Amino acid sequence: MQEILLLLWCNMNISERNTPTLYLLPVPLSDTDPHAVMPPKCIEVACTVKHFIVENVRSARRFLKRCSREIDIDTLTFSVLDEHTDPADVARMLDPMAEGHDMALMSEAGCPAVADPGALAVAHAQESGYRVDPLIGPSSILLALMASGFNGQTFAFAGYLPVETGARTSKLREMERRIMRERQTQIFIETPYRNNKLIAELCRVLPPDMKLCVASDITGERQSIITRPLRWWGKAHYDYGKTPTIFLLFS
Amino acid sequence: MQEILLLLWCNMNISERNTPTLYLLPVPLSDTDPHAVMPPKCIEVACTVKHFIVENVRSARRFLKRCSREIDIDTLTFSVLDEHTDPADVARMLDPMAEGHDMALMSEAGCPAVADPGALAVAHAQESGYRVDPLIGPSSILLALMASGFNGQTFAFAGYLPVETGARTSKLREMERRIMRERQTQIFIETPYRNNKLIAELCRVLPPDMKLCVASDITGERQSIITRPLRWWGKAHYDYGKTPTIFLLFS
């Protein structure tokens, strides 16, 4: 049965087109007009799907209203999948798909299921044999990697660094090893109010000729993406303290 | 001087707006209409920039013509940056920026400077203090990660696996360790004619309960993104032999 299903999928058979789809619907990273930064297909899906799984209902409603004033938000259903969601509750969020409805998954910013808890819903959709359709949109991780000038042939995203000092230093040392041995670009994030402290820490712990790219407010009004050796960052004046920022290391 | 420059950048001072920009201009992954899958800003940059660094001149010209018939292709300049380019030649490709012109970097498919040699040009632009502006577009790596249902909080892209059997098996074992110890999703690619062989090899080398996502012809007519345990793939019928496909492992 599953083998037959796979053949159908590969051949894009008519029956496959009738399978409900979970659209992975990106949203802008900053307060920009969706029509300027999103491909038309995203706007189209935003305007037609009726059942959503979202990280934050308020920001999801605001995004949908900016896509089209004609969307009747009150006719839509929203399930919340955020860091507080019990994983046991996620499977039920896909119930509308069992009834034949398409759904869309949305993060608070950027691409869903990357650096957020949305992957749980995608995993259930995959297990249920539903079609999963990832839509093109902004990802701060990918945009920062492109603009860093670092190796894009092999790279890793680590999410947040450990908070505890010992574990944090070990993690940075491990990243240094992977840069030197594997030529693997290392990407990570930090809570905005700790950005400045993190840069000082990187300058202290890592070799001064290692390169740091600081990519801040990507796609926003104050976008700034700067790659320089740590010895330069050690002397520079900067203030990234309130802005979503992503960090990349390479040598 | 460099410290002053950084302050200017962070504040988006007028002088910064006059700095030439290297736009990182994505192109579609498959033979789709750019207007359907690209955000308006990409089309706008494609229609206004006059100096390009491209992986392949023919496909770049075709993309630009599809963006607008009004572009006079013969007035544009193209430098080729591909796998055969001598790295020593890349700095000179940015000469138009020294004269104050914006430039755009384009890959053959998807986002430039990711899984292609374009990062060399970006590195030179960063060193020269030019503005680097990554535009939103399709990345098979990111779209596959979103749709896999695997961990998007930490992941790594390895490019191509080693060709030699011993090194290849070691690499797969290393990936298995990183999945188990770090919960890090592993992403890699293969030359299309070896796709089917690779799936059989993964089934042989890795534990049967490890999960494989095969993401094929992403954004294309025959897009298929399927996540199942290796024990399922070992019995499935498939043929990914001629299609650009990306592979993801997780447990």
Side-chain angles (χ1 to χ4, degrees):
Chain A
M1 169 57 200
Q2 279 183 314
E3 292 177 26
I4 294 164
L5 185 66
L6 178 58
L7 278 172
L8 294 178
W9 279 45
C10 294
N11 293 321
M12 281 292 282
N13 186 294
I14 295 297
S15 64
E16 191 274 336
R17 290 174 196 265
N18 292 333
T19 307
T21 298
L22 177 63
Y23 291 103
L24 309 181
L25 177 57
V27 298
L29 290 171
S30 58
D31 195 32
T32 41
D33 176 9
H35 295 269
V37 294
M38 311 298 286
K41 191 171 170 187
C42 290
I43 307 289
E44 191 190 309
V45 166
C47 293
T48 51
V49 168
K50 303 289 178 206
H51 303 276
F52 293 86
I53 300 172
V54 302
E55 198 176 0
N56 180 296
V57 176
R58 224 175 121 202
S59 68
R61 284 169 164 263
R62 195 166 55 225
F63 166 73
L64 293 171
K65 269 185 205 155
R66 294 188 77 173
C67 285
S68 167
R69 289 185 182 195
E70 294 184 12
I71 299 177
D72 183 358
I73 306 272
D74 296 333
T75 65
L76 309 177
T77 73
F78 295 93
S79 294
V80 175
L81 172 51
D82 63 16
E83 51 180 351
H84 308 295
T85 304
D86 183 344
D89 294 337
V90 178
R92 256 176 302 170
M93 294 181 189
L94 298 176
D95 281 352
M97 299 190 78
E99 291 155 27
H101 300 290
D102 291 339
M103 294 191 76
L105 175 70
M106 286 161 63
S107 173
E108 258 209 284
C111 291
V114 177
D116 76 35
L120 282 173
V122 182
H124 281 292
Q126 284 280 3
E127 274 167 32
S128 306
Y130 297 132
R131 207 164 71 99
V132 176
D133 194 2
L135 303 182
I136 295 161
S139 156
S140 59
I141 300 168
L142 193 90
L143 293 165
L145 176 66
M146 289 161 68
S148 65
F150 293 163
N151 192 4
Q153 316 259 10
T154 167
F155 58 88
F157 174 67
Y160 291 93
L161 296 185
V163 176
E164 192 268 314
T165 312
R168 202 167 161 97
T169 306
S170 307
K171 181 73 187 172
L172 289 175
R173 292 259 171 260
E174 179 64 38
M175 286 183 174
E176 186 186 345
R177 273 193 295 277
R178 291 189 184 173
I179 292 169
M180 303 319 284
R181 281 190 207 155
E182 302 171 31
R183 310 297 299 151
Q184 187 187 57
T185 300
Q186 303 293 317
I187 312 171
F188 49 99
I189 46 179
E190 183 54 287
T191 314
Y193 77 87
R194 288 203 206 114
N195 285 337
N196 298 331
K197 211 182 131 193
L198 172 66
I199 296 173
E201 191 182 2
L202 296 173
C203 292
R204 223 168 27 238
V205 174
L206 296 170
D209 56 346
M210 180 156 285
K211 283 182 183 161
L212 169 67
C213 175
V214 180
S216 184
D217 193 27
I218 296 179
T219 74
E221 281 280 312
R222 286 165 178 272
Q223 171 176 296
S224 153
I225 309 174
I226 300 177
T227 298
R228 296 288 185 279
L230 284 171
R231 79 162 58 78
W232 185 90
W233 285 105
K235 291 179 203 158
H237 299 284
Y238 49 79
D239 185 5
Y240 296 107
K242 289 175 193 158
T243 321
T245 299
I246 184 160
F247 301 88
L248 304 91
L249 287 169
F250 194 62
S251 184
Chain B
M1 169 57 200
Q2 278 183 315
E3 292 178 24
I4 294 164
L5 186 65
L6 179 57
L7 278 172
L8 293 178
W9 279 46
C10 293
N11 293 320
M12 281 292 282
N13 186 293
I14 294 297
S15 64
E16 191 274 337
R17 290 175 196 265
N18 293 333
T19 306
T21 300
L22 177 63
Y23 291 103
L24 309 181
L25 177 56
V27 298
L29 290 170
S30 58
D31 195 32
T32 41
D33 177 8
H35 294 270
V37 293
M38 312 297 286
K41 190 170 170 188
C42 289
I43 307 288
E44 190 190 308
V45 166
C47 292
T48 51
V49 168
K50 303 290 177 205
H51 302 277
F52 293 85
I53 299 172
V54 302
E55 198 175 1
N56 180 296
V57 175
R58 225 176 120 203
S59 68
R61 284 169 164 261
R62 196 166 54 228
F63 166 72
L64 293 171
K65 268 185 205 155
R66 293 188 79 173
C67 285
S68 167
R69 290 186 181 193
E70 295 184 13
I71 298 177
D72 183 357
I73 306 272
D74 296 332
T75 64
L76 309 177
T77 73
F78 295 94
S79 294
V80 175
L81 173 50
D82 64 15
E83 50 180 350
H84 308 295
T85 304
D86 183 343
D89 294 338
V90 178
R92 256 175 304 169
M93 293 181 188
L94 298 176
D95 282 352
M97 299 190 78
E99 292 154 27
H101 300 290
D102 291 339
M103 294 191 75
L105 175 70
M106 286 161 64
S107 174
E108 256 208 285
C111 291
V114 178
D116 77 33
L120 282 174
V122 182
H124 282 292
Q126 284 279 4
E127 274 167 33
S128 306
Y130 297 133
R131 208 164 70 100
V132 176
D133 193 3
L135 303 182
I136 295 161
S139 156
S140 59
I141 301 168
L142 194 89
L143 293 166
L145 176 67
M146 290 161 68
S148 65
F150 293 163
N151 192 4
Q153 317 258 11
T154 167
F155 58 89
F157 173 67
Y160 291 93
L161 295 185
V163 176
E164 191 269 315
T165 312
R168 202 167 161 97
T169 306
S170 308
K171 181 74 187 173
L172 289 174
R173 292 260 171 259
E174 179 64 38
M175 287 183 174
E176 186 186 347
R177 273 193 296 275
R178 291 189 184 173
I179 292 169
M180 304 318 284
R181 281 189 206 156
E182 302 171 29
R183 310 296 300 150
Q184 187 187 58
T185 299
Q186 303 293 318
I187 312 172
F188 49 98
I189 46 180
E190 183 54 287
T191 314
Y193 76 89
R194 288 203 205 116
N195 285 336
N196 298 331
K197 211 181 131 193
L198 171 65
I199 296 173
E201 191 181 2
L202 296 174
C203 293
R204 225 171 23 240
V205 174
L206 296 170
D209 56 346
M210 179 157 285
K211 283 182 184 159
L212 169 67
C213 175
V214 181
S216 185
D217 194 27
I218 295 179
T219 73
E221 282 280 312
R222 288 165 177 273
Q223 172 175 295
S224 154
I225 308 175
I226 301 177
T227 297
R228 295 288 185 281
L230 284 170
R231 79 163 57 78
W232 185 89
W233 285 106
K235 291 180 203 159
H237 299 284
Y238 50 79
D239 185 5
Y240 296 106
K242 288 174 195 161
T243 320
T245 299
I246 184 160
F247 301 88
L248 303 90
L249 288 169
F250 195 62
S251 183

